[in-house]
Amino acid sequence: MNFRKISIAVLFLTSTGAVMYAQETKSDTVKSEKKIDGVVIQGTTRKGAESNIIGLQKKSVEVIERVGSVQLEKQGVGDASVAVTKATGSQKQEGSGQIFIRGLGDRNNSTTINGLQVPSNDPLYKNIDLSIIKTDMIDFIGLEKVYNPRLWGDMSGANVDIVTKVYTGKPYFKVNLGSSVNFNAVQKNNYFLQDGPNYFGSTILKKPSKNAIVNQGYAFKTSWRNEEVNNPFNSALSFDFGTNFKVGDQGKFSIFGYAGFDNNYEYFKGVTGGAYDGQDNALRLYTDAEEFKYSTNTTGLINLNYKINPKHNINLSSNYIHTTEQRLGNYSGYNRDYYDNDVNQERYVTQLRRATYRTNDLLVNQLRGEHTVSEPLKISWNLGYNRLDSRRPDRQQNVTVLDKQTNTSFFASSNPGANNRYFDRLLENDFTGDVHADYKIGEAKITLGYSGRYKESEFKATQYNFRILPAQGTYTVNPNNYDAFFNLANYQAGGFFDIVTFRGDIKYDPNTALIPQLFTSEVNNHAGYLNVDYKFTEKLTVQAGVRYDKLMQKLTYNTAIQQGARDKDYNKILPAVNVKYSINDQHNLRLAASKTYTSPLLLEITPYQYEEVDETIQGSQSNYLADNYNVDLKWEWFPKKNELISLTAFGKHIQNPLAKITINSASNLTSVVNVGDTGRVFGLEAEVRKDIYDSGKTRFYTFLNGTYLNTKMELDGEKVRRENAGVGESQYTTDFLKSSDKLQGASEFLANVNLGVEQKWGNKNLMDFVVSYSYISDNIYSIGFQSRGNMVDKAFSTLDATLKFKLGNGMGFSFTGRNLLNPTFTRFQDNTVTGQELVSKRYKRGAGVGASISYEF
């Protein structure tokens, strides 16, 4: 069942905790027992049901927020990234899988599956792209914005925990078939993708072997041509099943399985790449840009659960996710790096073609168990092995200059890297585990545990640059047929182009030229933690604990920028306190305080340069951890079992905050550095989960959430220069416009408003209609420097709708509308001297509609 979210952002402060707690899976049930006068009443409580999630939040000592599968299904939410944005204070950065929580971006958050960390599927980010995780295979998503010692200390925004389904209900098998269209894509007369990848994303593209390059030179298997696609309609097919059977007198063995494939076509047209100097002159600006995007997701999950008896349980799960993404972009405008003789494009126009194919293969294996050794002692353990294989095979780039006077084109030959093919691969083996014991003594529960992680990463990249040999004006080239110029015959002729890498010419020194840019990393993380829950009275419960994190990283690198090694070793003591005071049966007050830390990402501490169309990113080995001090105060009101109203005030003090900046360079490079000594976040969150009208058969309901953020961080150019200077350091400098600014990535206001109607009739027939509007205010994409202002993402809003029918005979139908307002996304550079807002990026994602049919038996 893939359904999507629905939100409405207004100036209403609300929190997604309620939303997250209210979402649960209808098909998954869990046994519950209640003893009354010696009689045991057995029933089934839906683990993902709204009332169950809110009930758990009400009783928990810790501040927990969960989004259950039932609510996700109502909203038509198909993946975990959209589910998380339903939580209070959460936002997804447009154009990426990056999630911001409470104004803090990807590096400040962490992601776990069933409590264990998992690697990112993209070296540019710390966390896995949640959009690749399908909601059909999860029970709920937990959002832990308040730290406790059982969590890894590397978080300041939140930990997102994805809990996969463990099936214990009646046996079933379900098939779901769906289709949808994006109007931008379907209305495009000629839809193009690059040569090579196929419809299912199963094609494996590899870079040419060393022998082929040495002996043949031009040895590429795919062409430069664009392939036209007929019928860019999205499709989805999935099935899931659950069954269980008894083993002996007390045992029960259950199986849950999921498998699915879906694809998605998108098309963007607008402006991109805008970068300017302090006098508002364009350094790069593609005023006529279009981008074709095609993505696939193939997912399989098997979850085996063996309940040996009421005291012992073992679970084994294996999840394989294969995703691909193709992006074919054609960008027309001005770029001084390729041709700087005609800024106003009166005669000459730069034309850039970029085709990118990206594949990810992620395997997540987990084995866990729970054992009640005696009445007061319970031992829980969890072991995991993850393997990631992420590739960008055969990224192609071509740059030509159009002479409008003669209507002919020639290569931007002054830059050998203008025309290139790029191949990279990230391999990660990740071993992780946790074991802890809970021991009850009177009114106290003591938890003692150990967590460990070992992750090895290897990244290799090779870019083949095509150095143009003829002088400009002596030839012309057809931008629709690059193969007529780049081919084996022309290479062997020797007068057209040479192939070089960042290390040299493959003709004259192939052994050196073909050494890839590479870096490797070994991370060892060991932690011990102690936590004590003590119930002082019926109303007051206090949880206090501490965690010791030992973090060690060995980094080696050999790139076009620098060669070297760096060992990083940190010891962190992380205390945490959670206090819950139950005013009465309906009202709770909570207070939490903790210390955590934030580590820079792998690519943020590696001197490696990655070039996108609209920016070039470069790491700094001089970066180090930031420390965070967090405090939360929360009031909760539970009017009914499935209703929640809450208000939270929170604050964070950050030492040595990390942020994205533009460094002093001729190429307008961006990087992430420790920008100042301190930063802070103050915020207010509110949420409402309420039935407006309920007659038993008909129910009108709403779930709202909103967040206000006030952020600030110091900007100290002298600190950046000092900490990045010296032998083996990055040597980065920057000249900030201000001594302080808002936190990079933080919006001042976020809100979601969801309105729904549920109608029941006949024999288990159900109709659900949900409309949702979301709002995100302006936020800083990167900090400005010199007289160039901040890059800012403008506020925008989205509107979705889902209509779903579930019939008693097992049939189901759903109809969805996505991004119905189709707002314009705009990123601009603010110039504080001239007062101009200079466009960096502007486009519309396109509205879409879809329908699906399912049958469960």
Side-chain angles (χ1 to χ4, degrees), residues 587-607:
H587 296 268
N588 288 335
L589 278 179
R590 300 179 182 272
L591 176 65
S594 64
K595 179 185 177 182
T596 58
Y597 63 90
T598 300
S599 62
L601 313 185
L602 181 56
L603 270 186
E604 293 174 353
I605 57 173
T606 303

Side-chain angles (χ1 to χ4, degrees), residues 233-360:
F233 292 90
N234 308 328
S235 58
L237 173 64
S238 67
F239 68 86
D240 55 276
F241 67 91
T243 187
N244 59 72
F245 49 88
K246 291 184 178 181
V247 179
D249 294 333
Q250 295 183 303
K252 178 176 285 189
F253 187 78
S254 66
I255 304 172
F256 172 78
Y258 171 86
F261 169 82
D262 65 73
N263 60 6
N264 189 48
Y265 293 91
E266 296 177 79
Y267 176 76
F268 309 89
K269 186 174 180 61
V271 177
T272 194
Y276 304 84
D277 64 17
Q279 290 72 47
D280 294 352
N281 298 312
L283 305 174
R284 178 187 62 226
L285 181 63
Y286 299 112
T287 52
D288 183 9
E290 67 171 357
E291 194 170 280
F292 304 86
K293 179 183 175 184
Y294 175 67
S295 56
T296 71
N297 185 314
T298 306
T299 298
L301 170 75
I302 189 73
N303 198 322
L304 310 176
N305 194 77
Y306 179 31
K307 184 177 180 181
I308 302 171
N309 55 47
K311 293 185 177 182
H312 299 279
N313 192 86
I314 295 177
N315 181 272
L316 172 66
S317 65
S318 185
N319 184 195
Y320 171 70
I321 303 174
H322 172 73
T323 63
T324 68
E325 180 184 277
Q326 294 184 63
R327 287 180 181 265
L328 175 62
N330 298 305
Y331 312 96
S332 178
Y334 171 75
N335 190 326
R336 70 167 185 182
D337 292 337
Y338 300 129
Y339 198 82
D340 58 4
N341 292 341
D342 190 356
V343 177
N344 297 322
Q345 306 169 50
E346 294 176 357
R347 178 174 176 178
Y348 297 103
V349 179
T350 299
Q351 303 172 119
L352 184 147
R353 171 189 177 269
R354 170 72 76 96
T356 302
Y357 180 47
R358 177 180 159 200
T359 69
N360 296 299

Side-chain angles (χ1 to χ4, degrees), residues 91 93 98 100 103 105 659-662 711-713 715 738 740-748 776-784 789-795 827-828 830:
Q91 69 187 86
Q93 187 177 65
Q98 190 174 11
F100 281 76
K660 177 181 282 189
I661 66 167
T662 303
T711 68
K712 182 180 179 180
M713 64 180 176
L715 301 175
K738 310 174 184 177
S740 65
D741 210 329
K742 296 178 182 178
L743 215 63
Q744 179 245 321
S747 296
E748 277 193 1
I776 299 175
S777 66
D778 292 2
N779 63 87
I780 298 173
Y781 177 74
S782 66
I783 302 295
N790 296 330
M791 283 282 190
V792 177
D793 287 351
K794 293 286 285 183
R827 177 176 297 158
F828 69 87
D830 184 20

Side-chain angles (χ1 to χ4, degrees), residues 656-696:
N656 303 304
L658 292 148
K660 177 181 282 189
I661 66 167
T662 303
I663 62 177
N664 291 330
S665 70
S667 304
N668 222 36
L669 298 174
T670 62
S671 187
V672 170
V673 299
N674 299 89
V675 293
D677 289 334
T678 63
R680 57 112 173 123
V681 179
F682 296 132
L684 184 67
E685 296 176 339
E687 65 172 326
V688 176
R689 171 70 180 171
K690 193 79 176 66
D691 287 344
I692 301 172
Y693 170 80
D694 189 354
S695 67

Side-chain angles (χ1 to χ4, degrees), residues 218 466-470 485-488 490-492 494-499 507:
Y218 191 88
F466 296 85
R467 183 168 57 202
I468 309 302
L469 299 179
F485 189 92
F486 296 121
N487 55 58
L488 179 60
N490 282 357
Y491 177 74
Q492 292 179 340
F496 292 88
F497 64 93
D498 286 333
I499 303 177
K507 276 185 179 178

Side-chain angles (χ1 to χ4, degrees), residues 33-166:
E33 297 184 356
K34 185 175 181 182
K35 294 184 179 181
I36 303 178
D37 296 331
V39 177
V40 177
I41 300 175
Q42 291 188 331
T44 57
T45 301
R46 286 179 293 184
K47 196 174 179 182
E50 303 170 14
S51 58
N52 190 50
I53 279 184
I54 292 178
L56 182 61
Q57 176 178 347
K58 179 180 179 181
K59 296 175 184 178
S60 171
V61 180
E62 301 157 0
V63 179
I64 59 173
E65 298 182 19
R66 290 180 178 175
V67 186
S69 53
V70 167
Q71 184 172 333
L72 294 176
E73 183 180 334
K74 287 177 182 293
Q75 294 177 273
V77 174
D79 64 68
S81 69
V82 177
V84 172
T85 61
K86 296 303 175 184
T88 314
S90 302
Q91 69 187 86
K92 182 179 179 181
Q93 187 177 65
E94 176 66 18
S96 77
Q98 190 174 11
I99 300 293
F100 281 76
I101 300 174
R102 288 183 165 179
L104 300 170
D106 175 72
R107 81 180 64 83
N108 299 281
N109 303 312
S110 60
T111 303
T112 54
I113 294 180
N114 300 316
L116 291 183
Q117 288 188 315
V118 290
S120 168
N121 60 311
D122 189 333
L124 290 175
Y125 298 113
K126 169 185 173 183
N127 294 284
I128 187 173
D129 183 350
L130 296 175
S131 66
I132 71 175
I133 298 176
K134 298 302 177 183
T135 54
D136 285 342
M137 62 187 192
I138 65 177
D139 263 337
F140 59 83
I141 298 174
L143 193 67
E144 297 164 300
K145 292 186 284 188
V146 172
Y147 178 72
N148 72 75
R150 286 191 293 272
L151 302 174
W152 286 101
D154 188 3
M155 58 164 278
S156 55
N159 178 69
V160 179
D161 187 35
I162 299 161
V163 179
T164 56
K165 283 184 182 178
V166 176

Side-chain angles (χ1 to χ4, degrees), residues 434-556:
D434 177 87
V435 59
H436 64 266
D438 296 322
Y439 192 82
K440 294 182 179 179
I441 306 176
E443 298 297 327
K445 184 180 78 169
I446 302 172
T447 300
L448 183 65
Y450 163 81
S451 299
R453 188 182 194 188
Y454 173 76
K455 183 172 73 169
E456 56 180 14
S457 307
E458 180 184 72
F459 180 86
K460 292 183 179 180
T462 300
Q463 180 168 309
Y464 300 96
N465 298 321
F466 296 85
R467 183 168 57 202
I468 309 302
L469 299 179
Q472 290 178 356
T474 63
Y475 70 95
T476 61
V477 63
N478 181 1
N480 296 316
N481 186 14
Y482 289 110
D483 291 292
F485 189 92
F486 296 121
N487 55 58
L488 179 60
N490 282 357
Y491 177 74
Q492 292 179 340
F496 292 88
F497 64 93
D498 286 333
I499 303 177
V500 300
T501 70
F502 291 115
R503 303 191 188 278
D505 193 318
I506 64 170
K507 276 185 179 178
Y508 303 109
D509 189 2
N511 290 328
T512 301
L514 295 176
I515 297 174
Q517 295 192 77
L518 62 92
F519 56 83
T520 62
S521 168
E522 289 186 27
V523 175
N524 271 288
N525 201 335
H526 301 279
Y529 57 89
L530 173 67
N531 213 33
V532 178
D533 292 8
Y534 190 81
K535 191 173 184 179
F536 285 91
T537 68
E538 286 298 316
K539 295 178 178 292
L540 178 64
T541 304
V542 176
Q543 180 190 88
V546 65
R547 182 184 183 96
Y548 169 71
D549 262 16
K550 173 73 171 178
L551 175 62
M552 299 167 287
Q553 183 176 40
K554 293 183 178 180
L555 180 67
T556 60

